Amino acid sequence: MTMEILLGINSLLMLFGLFCAREWWKGHKTQHEQLAKAIEKLAEIYASKAAVFRAHKRLDALEESSADHAERIVRLETELELTGWSRACPSKTTSETK
């Protein structure tokens, strides 16, 4: 009868071990799902930050370009004013030159 008791206890221990392993696996699987979601969120955040960074770089380049254009316009206007061209009424300057 002791052999039957030992086999019964062994079976109960095996069932308990299987139950614990199943519960651990469910928790482990949940952790993997949470980790995958966190990685997806981080990838989205990184992509959006990278897009914002690229947009800022483009804006900086546009600002530099517009500053260059503004400098060129000012330089051209001063040269044209020295030659007698008036920005307010360009038709007057064309009649004067004729």
Side-chain angles (χ1 to χ4, degrees):
M1 184 160 194
T2 55
M3 185 60 116
E4 293 169 352
I5 292 173
L6 289 175
L7 286 174
I9 290 173
N10 190 24
S11 296
L12 287 175
L13 286 174
M14 286 295 290
L15 285 173
F16 180 72
L18 288 173
F19 174 77
C20 288
R22 181 175 175 260
E23 291 299 314
W24 174 84
W25 179 252
K26 287 187 339 189
H28 186 69
K29 188 176 173 184
T30 304
Q31 285 179 343
H32 274 280
E33 290 171 357
Q34 291 172 348
L35 184 62
K37 287 179 184 176
I39 289 171
E40 285 178 13
K41 284 183 183 179
L42 284 174
E44 290 173 3
I45 290 170
Y46 177 76
S48 67
K49 283 189 175 187
V52 168
F53 179 72
R54 286 191 305 270
H56 279 287
K57 277 182 89 171
R58 285 194 303 264
L59 284 175
D60 290 342
L62 285 173
E63 286 177 359
E64 289 175 9
S65 175
S66 63
D68 289 342
H69 287 297
E71 289 175 8
R72 288 180 190 162
I73 289 172
V74 168
R75 191 173 44 229
L76 287 172
E77 284 179 347
T78 54
E79 287 177 13
L80 290 174
E81 284 176 3
L82 291 176
T83 60
W85 184 81
S86 172
R87 184 176 186 196
C89 189
S91 61
K92 288 183 180 178
T93 58
T94 54
S95 63
E96 292 174 4
T97 56
K98 288 182 182 178

